[in-house]
Amino acid sequence: MCRIVGAPRTLLPLLAALLQASVEASGEIALCKTGFPEDVYSAVLSQDVHEGQPLLNVKFSNCNGKRKVQYESSEPADFKVDEDGMVYAVRSFPLSSEHAKFLIYAQDKETQEKWQVAVKLSLKPTLPEDSLKESQEIEEIVFPRQSTKHNGHLQRQKRDWVIPPINLPENSRGPFPQELVRIRSDRDKNLSLRYSVTGPGADQPPTGIFIINPISGQLSVTKPLDRELIARFHLRAHAVDINGNQVENPIDIVINVIDMNDNRPEFLHQVWNGTVPEGSKPGTYVMTVTAIDADDPNALNGMLRYRILSQAPSTPSPNMFTINNETGDIITVAAGLDREKVQQYTLIIQATDMEGNPTYGLSNTATAVITVTDVNDNPPEFTAMTFYGEVPENRIDVIVANLTVTDKDQPHTPAWNAAYRISGGDPTGRFAIQTDPNSNDGLVTVVKPIDFETNRMFVLTVAAENQVPLAKGIQHPPQSTATVSVTVIDVNENPYFAPNPKIIRQEEGLHAGTMLTTFTAQDPDRYMQQNIRYTKLSDPANWLKIDPVNGQITTIAVLDRESPNVKNNIYNATFLASDNGIPPMSGTGTLQIYLLDINDNAPQVLPQEAETCETPDPNSINITALDYDIDPNAGPFAFDLPLSPLNIKKNWTITRLNGDFAQLNLKIKFLEAGIYEVPIIITDSGNPPKSNISILRVKVCQCDSNGDCTDVDRIVGAGLGTGAIIAILLCIIILLILVLMFVVWMKRRDKERQAKQLLIDPEDDVRDNILKYDEEGGGEEDQDYDLSQLQQPDTVEPDAIKPVGIRRLDERPIHAEPQYPVRSAAPHPGDIGDFINEGLKAADNDPTAPPYDSLLVFDYEGSGSTAGSLSSLNSSSSGGEQDYDYLNDWGPRFKKLADMYGGGDD
């Protein structure tokens, strides 16, 4: 038998006695009856029923054991029945009279046979003395007694107690360990038992929360519990003897952690952003704010309520929005949202648990920012009724006028962007309006040229509207209109020729001075008094001239259709027409002269050179005619040989093949190899016809059986034309020039080599050298002299006033001075020898030069010098006392010195 004794009310209020249904057997069952053994099951409960709480156990007698029974509750929203007959609460609710009675159904799944039983729930009355008694006692849980048989018959026993869960509030302050219940077995009277508990919170993580006294079976909690971490503990109690043998079946103990309001609501976001279109009607959904509470959402601790604490700004109404206190949905409750007045609202939202109880509930706040979005409730409006602009004629892509509008909607949105169009005054489409994306202005632009002479002014009607239509219910017109007055400015335009090009037909051969046509230009500026003058711009053959005033075109040379400047019988000349406007303008025109052919070109033989064999067989010469004229002044041609010289017709014969070709053959059996000039008379078909004698150079050679020339020398000699001979001569001249340049280069190289031998480093030259350092004047007595005479000697004694015959011997005579060669400032070393030879030659031919044996006075430095004579200086040793034989060892350059000084007495 299982029995639960009441525990203190503070720990386990109304556990054992209030949650137990007793079904007692009324006697022994001799026969088995299928169905519920009781008609009514009763249970006494406390006021609060929790979700998943076991209430009682109903038994169904299944005599044959083959029936498969399914249980159902008449109130499935509140109660459910497991397959073992245990009744549980589906949800948490306070027990009231409406839940006091309900039915349990059992139905056979195969036969669909159905049974029912009533369940009655009642509240346990609470008495002051009972409460005091319960608070002083600890609940005792006794292991249920197992079923027994007596005299072969199944003896009924009291139904098993339903062990209710233990409800323990979270965040208890102790003291700890805190006793919960005492577990014992009826066999502890005869046996020494040991009690233990297993499960999460006991011997499984988190371990150590619940402990049991193994001797007394006292179950205790060791520390405060937190429902937000673990809301329910499932423990299993065991009873064994001192040998560890199980003496009772384990029983399940459920400990529910009762929620306390220890958590504030927390919003998912501290700042919530939402939007609502301006002009929205009351009841328009805006946004939803959400807060969560870690407490039990099914209890008052976790039931939240929302409300709006404040709204900023408070215009046009302080209560523009409201919030659903349960869902957090924010909607509009007043009209008058206008983005142009208030663009954003800020709401302070409060969430409170305990169903919004301001006294006991915990609260938290968040911010909701609601942006009023723009709708097109304001059309664009022109800032002026009339806009003005001007444009020069013939100009495109020019901005004529700048249209400005105002729009109160949000800038750079489709409700603000303006779209312009021209509704009147431009039938030919010469204007277009583009929208400036930054300023929203309309730019009136010319897209087609405008002629001042045709239109001097345009008056355009323009309209402006938004890219999106106006919102419904707006009373303003959807568009705004204005007028644009455009003035066209006259400018000087280019004169133009008409027609251009101008084509005329003329025969070639016209003489100079012939007037061909008048080619004039027109000035489009009808309202300007201007003169046009003409000049020739392009005349490749220089055949034409134009009168600068009237534009008459006259020939200045003979027109020739066969000129290389004529293409496809057409000669092109370009003329320029210029006016005297400001600025002056000009235009060009082309005159095309189609030249008609006349028979002015005689035909010529083609080819002009040919070759044939010494005998008539096996080949002949095919010829044709070349005529620069065209039909009918060209072919067919007539071919003939002249009568003179006589040997032409004697040696040759010509046969006409067709209108354009003829064949030239040898008339005699053999003609000696060589080059022969054969005159041929060719006549064209012009009217009158034109004839010409063309010379055909025929190379006669020895041929083999195939008709090929075998006389190579003659062929090569005969095959050299004028161009080949000129090329050969040019090659020979170039070769001679190269040889001459090479010789000059070699000669200059030799001179450089000789100069290098003369310019030997003085330190390496063993020869005696006379070094002239400087001359600083005469002796000491030659110090008094007139500097003016030295500076201007010719002004003291001019030659013209000197007496004849009075002259110093060393004075320069008055004769024409010979032209001595002038040496360059930096001569080439190879030119030194040439310079000396030229100087000697000029001195020999100089009539003013004194004879070689005369006394030459080079300079006069005065007399009476204190310096001694240089002739008084004697050598420290005579030449005879020195040995110059070593000069023989110095090579061939010093051989002459060796002979002079080291040759002995000779």
mmCIF file of all heavy atoms in Angstrom, residues 334-360:
data_model
loop_
_atom_site.group_PDB
_atom_site.id
_atom_site.type_symbol
_atom_site.label_atom_id
_atom_site.label_comp_id
_atom_site.label_asym_id
_atom_site.label_seq_id
_atom_site.Cartn_x
_atom_site.Cartn_y
_atom_site.Cartn_z
ATOM 1 N N ALA A 334 -5.384 58.244 -35.612
ATOM 2 C CA ALA A 334 -5.847 59.589 -35.963
ATOM 3 C C ALA A 334 -5.372 59.916 -37.375
ATOM 4 O O ALA A 334 -4.357 59.412 -37.854
ATOM 5 C CB ALA A 334 -5.324 60.624 -34.966
ATOM 6 N N ALA A 335 -6.111 60.758 -38.069
ATOM 7 C CA ALA A 335 -5.739 61.221 -39.402
ATOM 8 C C ALA A 335 -4.861 62.456 -39.288
ATOM 9 O O ALA A 335 -4.745 63.063 -38.217
ATOM 10 C CB ALA A 335 -6.992 61.519 -40.223
ATOM 11 N N GLY A 336 -4.254 62.802 -40.401
ATOM 12 C CA GLY A 336 -3.456 64.025 -40.416
ATOM 13 C C GLY A 336 -1.955 63.801 -40.557
ATOM 14 O O GLY A 336 -1.173 64.727 -40.315
ATOM 15 N N LEU A 337 -1.523 62.596 -40.931
ATOM 16 C CA LEU A 337 -0.091 62.369 -41.152
ATOM 17 C C LEU A 337 0.331 63.121 -42.412
ATOM 18 O O LEU A 337 -0.179 62.848 -43.505
ATOM 19 C CB LEU A 337 0.200 60.871 -41.297
ATOM 20 C CG LEU A 337 0.044 60.022 -40.026
ATOM 21 C CD1 LEU A 337 0.238 58.553 -40.361
ATOM 22 C CD2 LEU A 337 1.056 60.460 -38.975
ATOM 23 N N ASP A 338 1.253 64.047 -42.273
ATOM 24 C CA ASP A 338 1.713 64.866 -43.390
ATOM 25 C C ASP A 338 3.238 64.941 -43.327
ATOM 26 O O ASP A 338 3.801 65.524 -42.391
ATOM 27 C CB ASP A 338 1.107 66.270 -43.322
ATOM 28 C CG ASP A 338 1.359 67.059 -44.602
ATOM 29 O OD1 ASP A 338 2.146 66.586 -45.462
ATOM 30 O OD2 ASP A 338 0.787 68.152 -44.733
ATOM 31 N N ARG A 339 3.908 64.328 -44.299
ATOM 32 C CA ARG A 339 5.360 64.288 -44.287
ATOM 33 C C ARG A 339 5.952 65.675 -44.414
ATOM 34 O O ARG A 339 7.032 65.949 -43.867
ATOM 35 C CB ARG A 339 5.878 63.394 -45.427
ATOM 36 C CG ARG A 339 7.374 63.106 -45.359
ATOM 37 C CD ARG A 339 7.936 62.785 -46.706
ATOM 38 N NE ARG A 339 7.851 63.950 -47.588
ATOM 39 C CZ ARG A 339 8.770 64.894 -47.628
ATOM 40 N NH1 ARG A 339 9.829 64.842 -46.835
ATOM 41 N NH2 ARG A 339 8.630 65.932 -48.429
ATOM 42 N N GLU A 340 5.274 66.557 -45.145
ATOM 43 C CA GLU A 340 5.790 67.904 -45.308
ATOM 44 C C GLU A 340 5.782 68.697 -43.993
ATOM 45 O O GLU A 340 6.482 69.707 -43.879
ATOM 46 C CB GLU A 340 4.994 68.653 -46.370
ATOM 47 C CG GLU A 340 5.306 68.171 -47.805
ATOM 48 C CD GLU A 340 4.695 66.823 -48.108
ATOM 49 O OE1 GLU A 340 3.602 66.530 -47.577
ATOM 50 O OE2 GLU A 340 5.328 66.033 -48.843
ATOM 51 N N LYS A 341 5.018 68.232 -42.987
ATOM 52 C CA LYS A 341 4.971 68.908 -41.687
ATOM 53 C C LYS A 341 5.772 68.130 -40.626
ATOM 54 O O LYS A 341 6.570 68.700 -39.908
ATOM 55 C CB LYS A 341 3.523 69.078 -41.232
ATOM 56 C CG LYS A 341 2.712 70.004 -42.140
ATOM 57 C CD LYS A 341 1.282 70.149 -41.638
ATOM 58 C CE LYS A 341 0.470 71.069 -42.533
ATOM 59 N NZ LYS A 341 -0.944 71.203 -42.079
ATOM 60 N N VAL A 342 5.509 66.839 -40.532
ATOM 61 C CA VAL A 342 6.239 65.987 -39.583
ATOM 62 C C VAL A 342 6.738 64.776 -40.357
ATOM 63 O O VAL A 342 5.935 64.008 -40.895
ATOM 64 C CB VAL A 342 5.345 65.554 -38.401
ATOM 65 C CG1 VAL A 342 6.154 64.662 -37.456
ATOM 66 C CG2 VAL A 342 4.792 66.761 -37.672
ATOM 67 N N GLN A 343 8.053 64.623 -40.378
ATOM 68 C CA GLN A 343 8.636 63.532 -41.150
ATOM 69 C C GLN A 343 8.883 62.285 -40.319
ATOM 70 O O GLN A 343 9.051 61.201 -40.889
ATOM 71 C CB GLN A 343 9.961 63.980 -41.783
ATOM 72 C CG GLN A 343 9.825 65.142 -42.748
ATOM 73 C CD GLN A 343 11.143 65.520 -43.385
ATOM 74 O OE1 GLN A 343 12.165 64.883 -43.139
ATOM 75 N NE2 GLN A 343 11.117 66.568 -44.198
ATOM 76 N N GLN A 344 8.886 62.425 -38.972
ATOM 77 C CA GLN A 344 9.229 61.260 -38.151
ATOM 78 C C GLN A 344 8.614 61.408 -36.757
ATOM 79 O O GLN A 344 8.579 62.513 -36.197
ATOM 80 C CB GLN A 344 10.755 61.133 -38.059
ATOM 81 C CG GLN A 344 11.244 59.842 -37.444
ATOM 82 C CD GLN A 344 12.766 59.790 -37.457
ATOM 83 O OE1 GLN A 344 13.417 60.335 -36.568
ATOM 84 N NE2 GLN A 344 13.329 59.153 -38.465
ATOM 85 N N TYR A 345 8.113 60.290 -36.234
ATOM 86 C CA TYR A 345 7.583 60.230 -34.880
ATOM 87 C C TYR A 345 8.423 59.256 -34.063
ATOM 88 O O TYR A 345 8.872 58.217 -34.566
ATOM 89 C CB TYR A 345 6.121 59.761 -34.881
ATOM 90 C CG TYR A 345 5.152 60.773 -35.435
ATOM 91 C CD1 TYR A 345 4.820 60.786 -36.789
ATOM 92 C CD2 TYR A 345 4.565 61.724 -34.606
ATOM 93 C CE1 TYR A 345 3.930 61.719 -37.300
ATOM 94 C CE2 TYR A 345 3.669 62.661 -35.109
ATOM 95 C CZ TYR A 345 3.357 62.656 -36.457
ATOM 96 O OH TYR A 345 2.490 63.586 -36.958
ATOM 97 N N THR A 346 8.610 59.587 -32.789
ATOM 98 C CA THR A 346 9.347 58.729 -31.867
ATOM 99 C C THR A 346 8.421 58.353 -30.722
ATOM 100 O O THR A 346 7.884 59.229 -30.013
ATOM 101 C CB THR A 346 10.591 59.448 -31.324
ATOM 102 O OG1 THR A 346 11.428 59.822 -32.421
ATOM 103 C CG2 THR A 346 11.365 58.542 -30.391
ATOM 104 N N LEU A 347 8.211 57.037 -30.546
ATOM 105 C CA LEU A 347 7.335 56.517 -29.504
ATOM 106 C C LEU A 347 8.176 55.776 -28.472
ATOM 107 O O LEU A 347 9.111 55.045 -28.831
ATOM 108 C CB LEU A 347 6.279 55.567 -30.081
ATOM 109 C CG LEU A 347 5.425 56.087 -31.248
ATOM 110 C CD1 LEU A 347 4.437 55.009 -31.683
ATOM 111 C CD2 LEU A 347 4.686 57.357 -30.852
ATOM 112 N N ILE A 348 7.835 55.947 -27.185
ATOM 113 C CA ILE A 348 8.433 55.170 -26.109
ATOM 114 C C ILE A 348 7.432 54.074 -25.741
ATOM 115 O O ILE A 348 6.311 54.366 -25.290
ATOM 116 C CB ILE A 348 8.771 56.039 -24.890
ATOM 117 C CG1 ILE A 348 9.704 57.188 -25.314
ATOM 118 C CG2 ILE A 348 9.427 55.205 -23.807
ATOM 119 C CD1 ILE A 348 11.022 56.750 -25.912
ATOM 120 N N ILE A 349 7.831 52.817 -25.942
ATOM 121 C CA ILE A 349 6.963 51.664 -25.722
ATOM 122 C C ILE A 349 7.397 50.986 -24.428
ATOM 123 O O ILE A 349 8.594 50.770 -24.183
ATOM 124 C CB ILE A 349 7.035 50.679 -26.899
ATOM 125 C CG1 ILE A 349 6.819 51.420 -28.230
ATOM 126 C CG2 ILE A 349 6.027 49.565 -26.726
ATOM 127 C CD1 ILE A 349 5.484 52.081 -28.363
ATOM 128 N N GLN A 350 6.407 50.618 -23.581
ATOM 129 C CA GLN A 350 6.677 49.922 -22.327
ATOM 130 C C GLN A 350 6.027 48.546 -22.355
ATOM 131 O O GLN A 350 4.888 48.396 -22.797
ATOM 132 C CB GLN A 350 6.141 50.714 -21.129
ATOM 133 C CG GLN A 350 6.456 50.079 -19.787
ATOM 134 C CD GLN A 350 5.785 50.799 -18.638
ATOM 135 O OE1 GLN A 350 4.548 50.873 -18.597
ATOM 136 N NE2 GLN A 350 6.565 51.350 -17.718
ATOM 137 N N ALA A 351 6.816 47.545 -21.936
ATOM 138 C CA ALA A 351 6.295 46.188 -21.786
ATOM 139 C C ALA A 351 6.345 45.828 -20.304
ATOM 140 O O ALA A 351 7.397 45.972 -19.653
ATOM 141 C CB ALA A 351 7.110 45.204 -22.609
ATOM 142 N N THR A 352 5.219 45.341 -19.728
ATOM 143 C CA THR A 352 5.109 45.019 -18.307
ATOM 144 C C THR A 352 4.559 43.614 -18.163
ATOM 145 O O THR A 352 3.588 43.232 -18.853
ATOM 146 C CB THR A 352 4.181 46.022 -17.588
ATOM 147 O OG1 THR A 352 4.625 47.349 -17.850
ATOM 148 C CG2 THR A 352 4.171 45.779 -16.098
ATOM 149 N N ASP A 353 5.169 42.796 -17.268
ATOM 150 C CA ASP A 353 4.648 41.446 -17.024
ATOM 151 C C ASP A 353 3.541 41.518 -15.972
ATOM 152 O O ASP A 353 3.071 42.615 -15.620
ATOM 153 C CB ASP A 353 5.776 40.496 -16.646
ATOM 154 C CG ASP A 353 6.556 40.953 -15.421
ATOM 155 O OD1 ASP A 353 6.069 41.842 -14.698
ATOM 156 O OD2 ASP A 353 7.672 40.429 -15.211
ATOM 157 N N MET A 354 3.147 40.350 -15.455
ATOM 158 C CA MET A 354 2.009 40.278 -14.528
ATOM 159 C C MET A 354 0.764 40.891 -15.167
ATOM 160 O O MET A 354 -0.049 41.559 -14.512
ATOM 161 C CB MET A 354 2.329 40.985 -13.205
ATOM 162 C CG MET A 354 3.494 40.362 -12.443
ATOM 163 S SD MET A 354 3.166 38.693 -11.882
ATOM 164 C CE MET A 354 1.911 38.961 -10.651
ATOM 165 N N GLU A 355 0.671 40.661 -16.521
ATOM 166 C CA GLU A 355 -0.473 41.162 -17.300
ATOM 167 C C GLU A 355 -0.616 42.669 -17.179
ATOM 168 O O GLU A 355 -1.710 43.220 -17.182
ATOM 169 C CB GLU A 355 -1.773 40.468 -16.886
ATOM 170 C CG GLU A 355 -1.814 39.009 -17.284
ATOM 171 C CD GLU A 355 -3.164 38.389 -17.004
ATOM 172 O OE1 GLU A 355 -3.820 38.818 -16.022
ATOM 173 O OE2 GLU A 355 -3.565 37.496 -17.770
ATOM 174 N N GLY A 356 0.545 43.334 -17.068
ATOM 175 C CA GLY A 356 0.534 44.784 -17.046
ATOM 176 C C GLY A 356 0.235 45.387 -15.710
ATOM 177 O O GLY A 356 -0.029 46.608 -15.631
ATOM 178 N N ASN A 357 0.253 44.598 -14.643
ATOM 179 C CA ASN A 357 -0.035 45.130 -13.314
ATOM 180 C C ASN A 357 1.045 46.125 -12.940
ATOM 181 O O ASN A 357 2.219 45.768 -12.818
ATOM 182 C CB ASN A 357 -0.070 43.984 -12.294
ATOM 183 C CG ASN A 357 -0.598 44.451 -10.948
ATOM 184 O OD1 ASN A 357 -0.211 45.494 -10.436
ATOM 185 N ND2 ASN A 357 -1.498 43.657 -10.374
ATOM 186 N N PRO A 358 0.682 47.391 -12.776
ATOM 187 C CA PRO A 358 1.710 48.384 -12.495
ATOM 188 C C PRO A 358 2.315 48.266 -11.103
ATOM 189 O O PRO A 358 3.394 48.789 -10.836
ATOM 190 C CB PRO A 358 0.969 49.708 -12.675
ATOM 191 C CG PRO A 358 -0.453 49.393 -12.352
ATOM 192 C CD PRO A 358 -0.685 47.984 -12.815
ATOM 193 N N THR A 359 1.604 47.540 -10.194
ATOM 194 C CA THR A 359 2.106 47.439 -8.824
ATOM 195 C C THR A 359 3.110 46.303 -8.673
ATOM 196 O O THR A 359 4.174 46.475 -8.082
ATOM 197 C CB THR A 359 0.927 47.241 -7.860
ATOM 198 O OG1 THR A 359 0.001 48.316 -8.017
ATOM 199 C CG2 THR A 359 1.409 47.189 -6.408
ATOM 200 N N TYR A 360 2.770 45.141 -9.208
ATOM 201 C CA TYR A 360 3.605 43.964 -9.010
ATOM 202 C C TYR A 360 4.426 43.600 -10.253
ATOM 203 O O TYR A 360 5.386 42.845 -10.144
ATOM 204 C CB TYR A 360 2.739 42.754 -8.619
ATOM 205 C CG TYR A 360 1.903 43.014 -7.388
ATOM 206 C CD1 TYR A 360 0.541 43.286 -7.490
ATOM 207 C CD2 TYR A 360 2.487 42.973 -6.142
ATOM 208 C CE1 TYR A 360 -0.219 43.521 -6.362
ATOM 209 C CE2 TYR A 360 1.722 43.205 -4.994
ATOM 210 C CZ TYR A 360 0.374 43.477 -5.115
ATOM 211 O OH TYR A 360 -0.364 43.705 -3.998
#
